[in-house]
Amino acid sequence: MSSRETSTAGNCDRLYTALTGCHRRFAAGREREIACRHINRSLAECMVAVICPSESDAVRSLCSSGGTALKRRQCREAQLSLSVCLASHQDLS
């Protein structure tokens, strides 16, 4: 694992700890969903970046703004590559 991946994985650990803490502070339901939404999303993005780093970077850079028809096409291709990468890591058993 590269130093960047190790650092990202460490950030994911901290986000996981923060999310579990948030879940302890709020009862299950709408209030928890609202209170913990930001941490939950950050953890999901962190985990995707650890699992598929280059595909995640490509989506982040190519899909950050509208841009030209070429950039929109490249964004769709990057999203597809990320989906394929994530699917390849799923356990379907």
Side-chain angles (χ1 to χ4, degrees):
M1 193 181 287
S2 73
S3 63
R4 178 173 182 240
E5 289 170 332
T6 303
S7 172
T8 304
N11 288 339
C12 292
D13 288 343
R14 286 187 288 278
L15 287 167
Y16 178 77
T17 300
L19 184 60
T20 57
C22 187
H23 279 222
R24 279 192 300 274
R25 285 190 299 278
F26 296 94
R30 185 76 177 136
E31 185 180 15
R32 178 192 285 174
E33 288 177 26
I34 292 168
C36 303
R37 178 179 296 149
H38 179 73
I39 302 169
N40 190 51
R41 180 184 175 111
S42 295
L43 177 59
E45 290 173 354
C46 185
M47 292 174 70
V48 167
V50 168
I51 295 167
C52 301
S54 61
E55 294 85 353
S56 178
D57 285 345
V59 168
R60 196 171 14 266
S61 67
L62 293 169
C63 303
S64 60
S65 63
T68 64
L70 173 62
K71 186 173 180 189
R72 288 190 302 274
R73 182 177 56 78
Q74 290 171 328
C75 170
R76 286 191 302 273
E77 290 172 359
Q79 289 171 327
L80 179 59
S81 292
L82 178 58
S83 293
V84 169
C85 178
L86 291 171
S88 74
H89 287 85
Q90 287 182 325
D91 181 13
L92 302 175
S93 56

